[in-house]
Amino acid sequence: MCRNYLFICAVILCLFYGRAFDINKSQQAKRVCVVGAGIAGLTSSRYLKEEGIDFTVLEGTQYVGGTWRYDPRTGTDEYGLPLHTSMYKHLRTNLPKPTMQLRGFPVPKDMPSFPSWRLYYDYIKDYAKHFDLIRHIKFLHLVVAVRRESNIWKVKHKYLPTEEEFEDEFDYIIIGTGHHSKPNMPNIPGESNFKGKIIHSHNYREPDVYKNRRVLIVGAGPSGMDISLDIAAVSKTLVHSHHSKIKFNTPYPDNYIKKPDVKEFNETGAVFEDGTYEKLDDVIYCTGFQYDYPFLDKSCELTLTPRSVVPLYKYMVNIHQPSMIFMGLVVRACLVVAIDAQARYATALVKGNFTLPSKEDMLDDWQKKADAVRSKGRPLSDIHLLAQNEDQYYAALTEESGIDRVPPVMFKIRALDTEAKLENLYTYRNYVYDVIDDETFTRHIETRSNSSCLP
Ligand SMILES: Cc1cc2nc3c(=O)[nH]c(=O)nc-3n(C[C@H](O)[C@H](O)[C@H](O)COP(=O)(O)OP(=O)(O)OC[C@H]3O[C@@H](n4cnc5c(N)ncnc54)[C@H](O)[C@@H]3O)c2cc1C
Ligand SMILES: *[C@@H]1O[C@H](CO)[C@@H](O)[C@H](O)[C@H]1NC(C)=O
Ligand SMILES: *[C@@H]1O[C@H](CO)[C@@H](O)[C@H](O)[C@H]1NC(C)=O
Ligand SMILES: *[C@@H]1O[C@H](CO)[C@@H](O)[C@H](O)[C@H]1NC(C)=O
Ligand SMILES: *[C@@H]1O[C@H](CO)[C@@H](O)[C@H](O)[C@H]1NC(C)=O
């Protein structure tokens, strides 16, 4: 009897202290791991820093800026890892500068309306300097494993020069590793017979090597459209194969040949779905990228496919493990502005400014989106599409978390820019967009200036 009593007392004491301990633990400083030092990692760092939250950034390369840093090399880097960047020499942004601006850090006044990668990369580096973020970043620390154990994130990372491995514990993890790095290959029949060279746009750097050659571009996404024009300026022919139903009115040059999808390759060229044949020297697949998180383990409870990451709440919070947040997994949006808003939302969440809905409600919300995609007969990858819902998304982020709202003028600028692209891919970058207020902007044609002389 007495022994039982003692036992019960012990259990009660344990429960009491256990709970007290938990409470203290929950009041302890939260530790946040930020993976990647591109725009996602840098904006997250800036806001976490402003809130006085304890965080560490792990970046696999020795640079900030992620994909915006051009590297003339292709393949692997000095550590044998696949090069992350997909930048090409002549790239200029495909969105005008007001939509490329990070909050509270104006782009330089003399920056052209659609800057080259170099000017934009300088701007990102200046941002990191201005907010004194560099000292928070562990460069050359590649994240190799992330797992959830005992209610904590265990993050394993490798210092590349010595291959030394570390494991640290964090309460939150913000994943900003980008999704424009791993090529999505179409696997077309007969590829291995083709005698010419086939590459993916990830490895496209400059047009010079295609001078006087017969080049096939597959795909009509932003890269496909942009790289086609870059190469058509020097190539003998530019065969553009795609099935986009969008009507592009661009006055293509005489060496531009539009084709439907490729049916198959043989040694010398490609046969298309309409039965026609074209002799080719080179092929560039502009067929998009795959989501790639080789470091995430099962305990993260996500369903990962090359084209989707689910289920996420507000396009970023891992519903099953809501202390894991993905940045920038939205498609067809002003990505820079969207990432900046997501970084503030994530920070507000860590700070405790708001709490997430219950798991059931988040799943419910997600399921509705998934059902909508399915009912349109579209693939699940569409779950990441913002498109027409972009401005509503910004409103919803603000409503839930209390962050400053991304003004509606951003979406309006993107909409007009999209129209300009459909009119003419050669001239849409001649427009200058000036923001008047949160709702309105003006547009005029850039007077011939230095910017139009840029590559
Ligand atoms: C060719 C091209 C053109 C583009 N043009 C535009 C444009 O005009 N306008 C626009 O708004 N957007 C554009 N984008 C989209 C662009 O991706 C975003 O603007 C933005 O750069 C995304 O930033 P991020 O930080 O999410 O990813 P990234 O810039 O890709 O940065 C991710 C970082 O994570 C690091 N990393 C990856 N894996 C690990 C790991 N395991 N451990 C540690 N570190 C890791 C990488 O080294 C990298 O530094 C373009 C993208 C490409 C590829
Ligand atoms: C929790 O913290 C309070 C003061 O912050 C302290 O008095 C108490 O002993 C702590 N409890 C445990 C179990 O550590
Ligand atoms: C490839 O196919 C085309 C069209 O059928 C044909 O004209 C051409 O000779 C073929 N090339 C080779 C090497 O067989
Ligand atoms: C969190 O709330 C405080 C108080 O309202 C505010 O000052 C701060 O900016 C908020 N943080 C974020 C990241 O929204
Ligand atoms: C071009 O740039 C230079 C230096 O940045 C400047 O002095 C000059 O006025 C610019 N020219 C035009 C036409 O804008």
Side-chain angles (χ1 to χ4, degrees):
M1 191 65 181
C2 191
R3 269 176 79 168
N4 274 349
Y5 178 71
L6 273 175
F7 176 73
I8 289 164
C9 279
V11 167
I12 289 170
L13 270 173
C14 276
L15 281 174
F16 177 77
Y17 274 111
R19 275 195 63 188
F21 181 71
D22 274 353
I23 289 163
N24 282 13
K25 201 171 159 193
S26 71
Q27 285 167 348
Q28 263 170 21
K30 302 264 188 262
R31 292 200 61 202
V32 183
C33 181
V34 177
V35 190
I39 288 175
L42 292 173
T43 51
S44 301
S45 304
R46 173 204 162 175
Y47 296 118
L48 290 167
K49 190 178 172 203
E50 282 176 2
E51 296 289 355
I53 295 165
D54 181 10
F55 71 97
T56 302
V57 185
L58 302 171
E59 164 57 52
T61 71
Q62 49 189 313
Y63 311 101
V64 299
T67 206
W68 287 98
R69 182 187 161 274
Y70 174 78
D71 194 319
R73 298 173 298 176
T74 56
T76 51
D77 66 10
E78 58 272 42
Y79 300 102
L81 295 170
L83 280 161
H84 180 83
T85 187
S86 298
M87 210 35 64
Y88 38 94
K89 199 172 176 182
H90 291 172
L91 183 130
R92 287 169 63 189
T93 63
N94 57 24
L95 286 170
K97 66 176 177 178
T99 67
M100 297 297 294
Q101 181 164 293
L102 295 165
R103 185 172 156 275
F105 192 68
V107 292
K109 274 230 152 41
D110 60 357
M111 185 186 266
S113 184
F114 290 78
S116 64
W117 68 263
R118 189 185 298 276
L119 291 175
Y120 194 67
Y121 175 50
D122 284 345
Y123 168 72
I124 300 173
K125 284 191 290 186
D126 288 345
Y127 179 89
K129 231 176 276 163
H130 179 81
F131 293 103
D132 191 20
L133 305 175
I134 303 293
R135 62 198 176 81
H136 295 274
I137 304 168
K138 285 189 164 148
F139 291 102
L140 295 173
H141 279 261
L142 183 76
V143 170
V144 292
V146 173
R147 65 180 202 282
R148 186 77 177 158
E149 205 179 284
S150 320
N151 274 331
I152 203 111
W153 291 110
K154 302 225 169 158
V155 178
K156 205 181 268 178
H157 48 107
K158 183 161 84 178
Y159 181 57
L160 296 169
T162 61
E163 304 215 328
E164 192 182 347
E165 287 206 343
F166 301 85
E167 186 168 271
D168 290 315
E169 297 186 348
F170 297 94
D171 302 288
Y172 286 86
I173 183 160
I174 296 179
I175 299 180
T177 51
H179 55 98
H180 296 102
S181 203
K182 186 177 184 186
N184 181 55
M185 302 297 272
N187 299 316
I188 296 169
E191 273 171 3
S192 56
N193 301 329
F194 181 60
K195 290 259 163 45
K197 194 169 178 190
I198 302 179
I199 66 163
H200 185 272
S201 67
H202 170 65
N203 292 316
Y204 173 67
R205 292 294 179 266
E206 49 178 308
D208 310 18
V209 293
Y210 298 104
K211 202 167 176 207
N212 295 325
R213 295 176 71 88
R214 294 162 298 193
V215 184
L216 168 69
I217 302 265
V218 177
S223 309
M225 302 317 289
D226 209 38
I227 294 174
S228 291
L229 303 193
D230 200 21
I231 292 181
V234 300
S235 64
K236 185 171 175 190
T237 54
L238 190 292
V239 182
H240 195 183
S241 159
H242 67 83
H243 53 246
S244 172
K245 292 188 187 72
I246 300 167
K247 196 170 174 328
F248 294 98
N249 296 318
T250 296
Y252 289 107
D254 290 342
N255 63 344
Y256 178 97
I257 305 162
K258 162 78 182 75
K259 289 285 175 188
D261 286 350
V262 179
K263 189 162 161 248
E264 61 184 0
F265 288 102
N266 68 9
E267 285 85 337
T268 47
V271 177
F272 299 89
E273 291 293 353
D274 60 0
T276 59
Y277 169 76
E278 284 291 332
K279 271 192 163 179
L280 300 167
D281 299 309
D282 306 280
V283 177
I284 305 176
Y285 287 149
C286 297
T287 42
F289 297 89
Q290 298 192 348
Y291 298 111
D292 186 34
Y293 301 99
F295 49 86
L296 295 184
D297 136 317
K298 280 204 164 51
S299 60
C300 301
E301 297 182 73
L302 283 161
T303 304
L304 301 168
T305 76
R307 304 292 278 166
S308 63
V309 181
V310 299
L312 300 178
Y313 175 67
K314 288 280 193 295
Y315 301 84
M316 63 177 141
V317 178
N318 175 353
I319 294 177
H320 293 295
Q321 294 291 350
S323 50
M324 171 177 275
I325 296 157
F326 289 83
M327 302 285 293
L329 291 196
V330 286
V331 179
R332 263 201 259 149
C334 301
L335 201 53
V336 169
V337 164
I339 288 174
D340 195 308
Q342 291 183 330
R344 283 179 277 137
Y345 177 100
T347 303
L349 177 66
V350 176
K351 185 75 181 173
N353 278 14
F354 74 101
T355 49
L356 292 167
S358 68
K359 182 164 143 184
E360 289 66 34
D361 288 349
M362 289 194 284
L363 274 176
D364 212 45
D365 179 82
W366 180 83
Q367 194 60 54
K368 282 199 191 97
K369 284 200 179 78
D371 290 346
V373 168
R374 214 164 288 137
S375 72
K376 284 186 202 139
R378 297 286 310 163
L380 187 59
S381 56
D382 269 19
I383 197 109
H384 298 292
L385 220 67
L386 271 187
Q388 290 308 307
N389 299 323
E390 181 178 7
D391 191 55
Q392 278 162 262
Y393 177 58
Y394 299 140
L397 287 184
T398 293
E399 191 183 334
E400 184 178 10
S401 69
I403 62 167
D404 282 357
R405 190 192 191 293
V406 172
V409 69
M410 292 299 157
F411 173 67
K412 291 179 184 172
I413 290 178
R414 186 171 72 82
L416 193 60
D417 172 63
T418 301
E419 268 180 39
K421 281 176 182 133
L422 296 180
E423 264 163 44
N424 191 334
L425 289 165
Y426 283 105
T427 58
Y428 79 91
R429 289 188 179 95
N430 295 343
Y431 287 110
V432 179
Y433 298 75
D434 289 311
V435 171
I436 304 297
D437 58 37
D438 285 358
E439 296 283 346
T440 47
F441 67 97
T442 58
R443 185 177 85 166
H444 65 273
I445 296 208
E446 193 158 41
T447 47
R448 200 112 190 117
S449 75
N450 292 339
S451 64
S452 38
C453 308
L454 279 168

